[in-house]
Amino acid sequence: MDFGSINPVVLIASLMVAATPILLAAIGELVVEKAGVLNLGVEGMMIVGAVAGFAAAVTTGSPILGMLAAIIAGAAVSLIFALLTQVLMANQVASGLALTLFGLGFSALLGQSYVGIVPPRTEKLDFGPLSDLPVVGRILFGHDILVYVSLFVVAGVWYWLNYTRGGRVLRAVGENHDSAHALGYKVKRVRILAILFGGACAGLGGAYLSLVRVPQWTEGMTAGAGWIALALVVFASWKPWRVLAGAYLFGGIMVLQLNLQAAGYRIPVEYLAMSPYIITILVLVVMSSNRTRRTLAAPGSLGRSFHAAG
Amino acid sequence: MKRRELLATSAAALGLAATLGSKARAQTPLKVGFVYIGPPGDFGWTYAHDQARLAAQEHFGDAVETFYVDNVPEGPDAERIMTQMALSGANMIFATSFGYGPSLNAVAQRFPNIAFEHATGYLQEAPNVSLYNARFYEGRAVIGTIAGRMTQTNKIGYIASFPIPEVIMGINAAYIHAKKVNPDITLSVVWAYSWFDPAQEAAAAEALIEQGCDILMQHTDSTAPLSVAQQRGALAFGQASDMTQFAPDVHLTAIIDNWAPYYIKRIQEKLDGTWVADNVWSGIPEDEVTFAPFNDRIPAEVQDEANALIESIRDGSYHPFTGPLNRQDGSAWLAEGEVADDGTLLGMNFYVEGITGDIPN
């Protein structure tokens, strides 16, 4: 394929960067949903992670500490959701939406004194001569640490869900919580831990936006990335590697259409620009129908509250 | 959260107003509501409006009470928010985005005693709807001149939001004036299809720099393109407010939206009972369009040239859209010395000759 003046190597490298925030958030949400919990608060957890990571990085001068703070903040916010849905048995959809509204407002409040500050720079990892290799150097060895962390998390989640006892217990809880409970598994404990993991990943994804991708703090800066991450999980039919593919596809469409425009190609911009959102809506519509949900292999207990009976 | 709080307080205020009756109302300050499309912390469009709101609040003190609702999407939500504002006792409502037009007019018809002010709008279906706008294209002409002088690669990047006349006008003004001082320049336009999406705007800036653009302009509201420009060493212009702090080395200047004089004037008229609907389009002469201090990187002679241009627009001796100008397809638009009329500008849906690429539908 002829890209003309667009360098495909640069394009691939930048789509990986563009996709990393939604990839991190989506892989976290995948684990949550595999445990049978639907947390619509991804956007809220992301933006709290974005502001917490930014604040910590600016205060300490270390992007790594900022990312750790984002992980903790994301998990802490998700704990509210865990408390509401797992302990107080609140409706998951409503609680998740509330979490998003809360996160957007709370982050705006926290971030007031951080507007207009430039964060410490997140350096690219130094692979020595490997980074200078043609093509693969820029694509494989030219990124900051979080791009590799996100790939590692995807691989880790895939392995853990499929090949470890803990992962299988989590899936059992998500498929049929009554049976899992009857077998003696702690349904709520598993779910709370999954929710915390989801929050941590979303927080980290948010911090990637505020520390690397943009890099600055602005109110509402996630601008819907959390919703795309949610749709991505369904789009990927709850399979980790497909989440990776989906995230890179979404990231790719976005970066590609911008690059095509910049290079002066005549493309139907409006359709390309809206395509991730259209796919998102379609996927959410499909997900809302029970029959298609089954064919998509959604976890059996997804979104249902668990009441221990007897 | 802010919106919810507002709804709660408005509901309380409504109850209060009902119980206290008209006597108490006469002593209450004039309530002025603002509807924002983005967050006041965007350091762009909404920030500029909010600064003007604060300036008005300070100017009037206790006589006026201002409040705002931010992040209001264009469409049914806007109508709901404005209705809520009207019910909660607002005497005057400023709606600060193009797309609020239909909602604002619908609400205005139901509340004939409230003064409605719509920024950048065009619909006036009720006697209490006033329109105001700024001639940003005058500012674009100035930064276009600076860009034409400063570019080394002769490639200028432009991050645009939506293909509406306001934005197309800005692209044309910047291009005409860059071309005038540097016939070799080309302009690359990227449509972000958003007013505010930092990640998308940052990616657009990256893409333009990848394509060899060494100077960026934006008609989107976030400071993300400035951050990217600073990192990559490209030059850039701020949008709507002084964005120097985001890119101290490369921020050349910014077109600043200065709404405060207008807001203070109109609120005063409402206080005096002399407010009538109007349709105003102010610019550099009225100080509604101003500039951030020029960066020292701009050579003195270019600064002088830019200042001379500003002065010629201020005293009315020059209009940025003065013929001869052709449309992109080569057909004649303005004859030698002819000046574009406001109607054509406000409905502008074509590029001028020399710009490559199509305007999306």
Side-chain angles (χ1 to χ4, degrees):
Chain A
M1 193 176 169
D2 179 27
F3 283 105
S5 56
I6 297 174
N7 181 346
V9 174
V10 174
L11 191 72
I12 293 171
S14 50
L15 83 82
M16 292 173 77
V17 172
T20 296
I22 50 175
L23 174 60
L24 279 166
I27 196 71
E29 178 67 12
L30 180 136
V31 172
V32 179
E33 292 189 13
K34 271 288 186 189
V37 180
L38 183 63
N39 185 354
L40 296 183
V42 180
E43 177 91 359
M45 301 187 295
M46 274 185 97
I47 196 141
V48 169
V51 73
F54 190 87
V58 167
T59 312
T60 63
S62 156
I64 299 295
L65 285 179
M67 287 163 194
L68 285 175
I71 290 174
I72 294 167
V77 179
S78 72
L79 200 57
I80 302 174
F81 177 83
L83 180 75
L84 286 172
T85 60
Q86 302 307 307
V87 180
L88 302 174
M89 295 295 168
N91 177 291
Q92 292 180 7
V93 171
S95 306
L97 290 173
L99 190 67
T100 288
L101 290 174
F102 168 74
L104 289 171
F106 186 58
S107 63
L109 180 70
L110 285 183
Q112 272 173 357
S113 52
Y114 292 96
V115 173
I117 295 176
V118 178
R121 202 188 156 111
T122 310
E123 294 299 334
K124 292 187 168 152
L125 284 190
D126 186 9
F127 289 96
L130 284 178
S131 306
D132 300 329
L133 291 174
V135 186
V136 289
R138 180 94 188 245
I139 294 175
L140 294 181
F141 304 110
H143 294 290
D144 54 86
I145 186 167
L146 268 191
V147 171
Y148 303 106
V149 168
S150 68
L151 294 172
F152 177 78
V153 170
V154 172
V157 164
W158 166 77
Y159 181 81
W160 188 78
L161 281 178
N162 288 299
Y163 298 106
T164 67
R165 187 181 145 78
R168 287 171 178 177
V169 168
L170 181 130
R171 280 162 57 206
V173 166
E175 287 303 334
N176 189 328
H177 49 217
D178 294 320
S179 303
H181 177 66
L183 288 170
Y185 297 127
K186 307 276 188 231
V187 173
K188 285 190 181 163
R189 186 193 296 169
V190 168
R191 286 189 169 167
I192 289 172
L193 290 174
I195 292 168
L196 286 176
F197 178 78
C201 286
L204 191 59
Y208 192 75
L209 275 177
S210 63
L211 289 176
V212 184
R213 185 87 175 83
V214 176
Q216 68 183 34
W217 164 252
T218 317
E219 248 183 270
M221 69 180 299
T222 45
W227 296 106
I228 293 187
L230 264 169
L232 207 52
V233 178
V234 188
F235 178 77
S237 56
W238 295 269
K239 293 190 169 57
W241 292 116
R242 287 197 202 166
V243 165
L244 178 71
Y248 281 11
L249 180 69
F250 277 25
I253 291 174
M254 176 178 148
V255 170
L256 181 66
Q257 63 103 349
L258 291 172
N259 276 281
L260 286 173
Q261 285 195 56
Y265 284 85
R266 295 180 175 209
I267 49 159
V269 189
E270 51 276 40
Y271 299 113
L272 276 176
M274 67 172 114
S275 54
Y277 302 96
I278 289 181
I279 296 173
T280 304
I281 292 167
L282 282 179
V283 153
L284 291 174
V285 168
V286 167
M287 187 168 77
S288 62
S289 143
N290 267 326
R291 200 183 306 150
T292 44
R293 248 167 90 158
R294 211 165 301 133
T295 54
L296 279 173
S301 298
L302 183 60
R304 285 165 47 204
S305 290
F306 172 67
H307 297 267
Chain B
M1 287 307 281
K2 274 183 193 134
R3 195 177 304 168
R4 304 218 142 183
E5 279 162 20
L6 177 95
L7 294 185
T9 47
S10 338
L14 183 64
L16 203 66
T19 48
L20 291 180
S22 56
K23 214 175 195 179
R25 225 176 284 159
Q27 294 152 0
T28 51
L30 186 82
K31 286 187 79 172
V32 184
F34 289 78
V35 185
Y36 295 153
I37 183 82
D42 67 356
F43 268 79
W45 177 257
T46 299
Y47 174 80
H49 283 286
D50 200 53
Q51 290 301 108
R53 176 186 70 85
L54 293 170
Q57 181 68 70
E58 189 171 290
H59 178 83
F60 291 107
D62 291 340
V64 167
E65 181 190 334
T66 65
F67 64 105
Y68 69 86
V69 182
D70 60 1
N71 290 310
V72 179
E74 295 169 344
D77 263 356
E79 187 163 340
R80 188 171 57 78
I81 297 287
M82 282 185 249
T83 306
Q84 191 67 47
M85 279 185 167
L87 289 173
S88 66
N91 308 97
M92 196 169 188
I93 293 175
F94 288 89
T96 65
S97 188
F98 172 77
Y100 292 150
S103 317
L104 180 130
N105 279 280
V107 180
Q109 282 163 4
R110 278 186 280 138
F111 298 94
N113 294 326
I114 298 176
F116 285 85
E117 293 269 357
H118 186 203
T120 69
Y122 64 97
L123 279 177
Q124 250 178 325
E125 292 167 348
N128 55 330
V129 173
S130 201
L131 305 177
Y132 64 104
N133 199 352
R135 296 179 187 269
F136 300 115
Y137 67 85
E138 296 177 346
R140 304 263 170 211
V142 174
I143 65 172
T145 303
I146 298 172
R149 290 282 185 215
M150 300 279 295
T151 178
Q152 305 281 321
T153 61
N154 292 330
K155 284 184 172 176
I156 299 173
Y158 202 111
I159 303 167
S161 47
F162 294 95
I164 58 173
E166 171 73 39
V167 177
I168 295 167
M169 203 187 324
I171 295 171
N172 283 332
Y175 177 79
I176 291 167
H177 292 84
K179 186 88 173 173
K180 193 179 267 179
V181 296
N182 182 352
D184 297 327
I185 61 113
T186 57
L187 185 71
S188 303
V189 181
V190 169
W191 298 94
Y193 273 88
S194 172
W195 285 111
F196 179 80
D197 184 343
Q200 178 93 350
E201 293 168 47
E206 294 270 4
L208 286 165
I209 294 170
E210 254 345 297
Q211 286 300 320
C213 297
D214 65 346
I215 191 157
L216 301 179
M217 301 179 183
Q218 63 179 91
H219 202 144
T220 49
D221 296 342
S222 94
T223 50
L226 271 302
S227 294
V228 171
Q230 172 82 14
Q231 267 192 0
R232 299 282 302 260
L235 301 173
F237 296 96
Q239 160 80 358
S241 74
D242 188 345
M243 296 179 170
T244 304
Q245 56 178 324
F246 295 93
D249 301 332
V250 303
H251 180 281
L252 295 178
T253 182
I255 300 171
I256 296 179
D257 313 353
N258 181 26
W259 303 105
Y262 182 75
Y263 286 177
I264 290 170
K265 173 170 164 275
R266 297 299 270 175
I267 293 172
Q268 186 65 53
E269 286 171 4
K270 181 70 180 166
L271 278 171
D272 299 342
T274 58
W275 185 92
V276 282
D278 201 349
N279 185 353
V280 289
W281 202 16
S282 311
I284 287 177
E286 297 85 359
D287 277 330
E288 192 158 297
V289 174
T290 61
F291 296 88
F294 289 161
N295 192 309
D296 291 340
R297 287 179 75 156
I298 308 178
E301 64 271 20
V302 178
Q303 295 202 17
D304 292 344
E305 189 177 8
N307 281 323
L309 179 60
I310 293 172
E311 287 316 311
S312 68
I313 295 173
R314 188 188 299 281
D315 64 24
S317 60
Y318 178 71
H319 189 291
F321 290 104
T322 304
L325 286 172
N326 290 342
R327 293 191 178 86
Q328 188 182 30
D329 58 15
S331 61
W333 174 35
L334 296 175
E336 176 83 42
E338 194 185 348
V339 167
D341 64 281
D342 286 356
T344 312
L345 291 180
L346 289 169
M348 192 174 247
N349 59 359
F350 58 88
Y351 282 150
V352 293
E353 193 173 40
I355 300 181
T356 52
D358 295 329
I359 299 172
N361 299 317

